[in-house]
């Protein structure tokens, strides 16, 4: 399974997921037991402190570099795809104005598929439903994956309606603050 994290929301959620996975492997000892096996298959890499790190089978995509430059989950450099300009919270611009970014993403997906020795079962996609990159480019990537890999399962498994949720959360937080003051 290849995991794809698209847009700021998808990248931040995916990054936290893979950071927690790395912690879980280290804390349970599962990762240390399979160290040699994973290292030989390219699923892990040694760091300076001799601790092994999980390389997530994931592709991180955003139209701005600010989020992907701060990833803590250490994905492969070839699996981090970004451009220098945002999509301005515009679905249409994210969908229609991202041909190059979509092509770069599909190249990264092909490379990740080649790395996986077993047959891939499909794709899990995490993206936001609002904004431009997560919603627009996320929709375009889902369409391309279904077109290029019709026999693989394409699951947009986590879709986040970020603006509404954040607006409610911020309103609740501000009302709590005002009642304390």
């Amino acid at each position: 399974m290849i995991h794809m994290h698209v847009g700021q929301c998808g990248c931040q959620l995916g990054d936290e997921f893979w950071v927690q996975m790395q912690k879980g492997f280290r804390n349970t000892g599962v990762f240390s037991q399979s160290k040699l096996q994973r290292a030989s298959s390219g699923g892990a890499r040694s760091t300076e402190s001799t601790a092994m790190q999980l390389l997530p089978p994931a592709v991180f995509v955003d139209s701005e570099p600010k989020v992907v430059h701060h990833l803590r989950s250490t994905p492969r450099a070839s699996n981090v795809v970004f451009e220098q300009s945002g999509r301005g919270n515009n679905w249409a611009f994210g969908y229609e104005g991202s041909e190059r970014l979509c092509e770069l993403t599909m190249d990264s997906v092909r490379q990740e598929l080649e790395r996986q020795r077993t047959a891939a079962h499909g794709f899990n996609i995490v993206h936001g439903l609002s904004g431009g990159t997560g919603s627009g480019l996320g929709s375009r990537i889902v369409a391309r994956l279904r077109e290029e890999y019709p026999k693989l399962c394409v699951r947009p498994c986590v879709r986040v309606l970020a603006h509404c949720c954040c607006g409610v959360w911020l309103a609740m937080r501000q009302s709590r603050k005002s009642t304390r003051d």
Side-chain angles (χ1 to χ4, degrees), residues 9 13 127-131 135 158-168:
C9 177
L13 286 172
H127 65 101
L129 288 177
S130 55
S135 62
V158 179
R159 292 178 167 173
V160 180
L161 188 56
H163 292 295
C164 291
C165 296
C166 290
V168 169

Side-chain angles (χ1 to χ4, degrees), residues 115-134:
R115 275 188 212 102
Q116 294 188 1
R117 297 205 185 328
T118 59
H121 299 288
F123 307 93
N124 282 329
I125 302 168
V126 178
H127 65 101
L129 288 177
S130 55
T133 306

Side-chain angles (χ1 to χ4, degrees), residues 2-171:
I2 294 177
H3 303 270
M4 300 187 67
H5 307 287
V6 184
Q8 180 176 354
C9 177
C11 287
Q12 288 175 334
L13 286 172
D15 186 44
E16 186 61 30
F17 172 78
W18 289 108
V19 165
Q20 295 304 317
M21 288 292 288
Q22 289 173 346
K23 285 180 185 176
F25 278 123
R26 281 193 297 270
N27 293 340
T28 61
V30 172
F31 193 66
S32 60
Q33 292 171 1
S34 62
K35 178 172 29 177
L36 294 174
Q37 184 180 20
R38 288 204 183 271
S40 65
S41 68
R45 72 172 161 211
S46 216
T47 61
E48 296 158 1
S49 64
T50 70
M52 297 297 285
Q53 273 188 315
L54 175 69
L55 287 176
V59 177
F60 292 86
V61 184
D62 200 2
S63 58
E64 296 177 307
K66 67 180 179 179
V67 173
V68 294
H69 280 275
H70 293 95
L71 295 175
R72 298 171 297 141
S73 59
T74 62
R76 286 183 176 86
S78 63
N79 286 8
V80 178
V81 182
F82 63 93
E83 286 184 339
Q84 296 297 324
S85 61
R87 298 298 177 250
N89 290 326
N90 187 328
W91 182 91
F93 188 45
Y95 190 87
E96 293 295 332
S98 299
E99 294 89 10
R100 182 176 175 279
L101 191 55
C102 188
E103 286 304 318
L104 293 171
T105 302
M106 296 308 291
D107 290 342
S108 187
V109 167
R110 284 184 206 98
Q111 290 173 5
E112 189 60 37
L113 281 170
E114 289 171 6
R115 275 188 212 102
Q116 294 188 1
R117 297 205 185 328
T118 59
H121 299 288
F123 307 93
N124 282 329
I125 302 168
V126 178
H127 65 101
L129 288 177
S130 55
T133 306
S135 62
L137 179 61
S139 299
R140 185 181 191 101
I141 288 172
V142 167
R144 284 288 302 276
L145 289 171
R146 287 185 173 151
E147 180 183 305
E148 289 192 28
Y149 305 101
K151 294 184 180 184
L152 296 180
C153 176
V154 177
R155 286 186 6 198
C157 62
V158 179
R159 292 178 167 173
V160 180
L161 188 56
H163 292 295
C164 291
C165 296
C166 290
V168 169
W169 180 78
L170 287 173

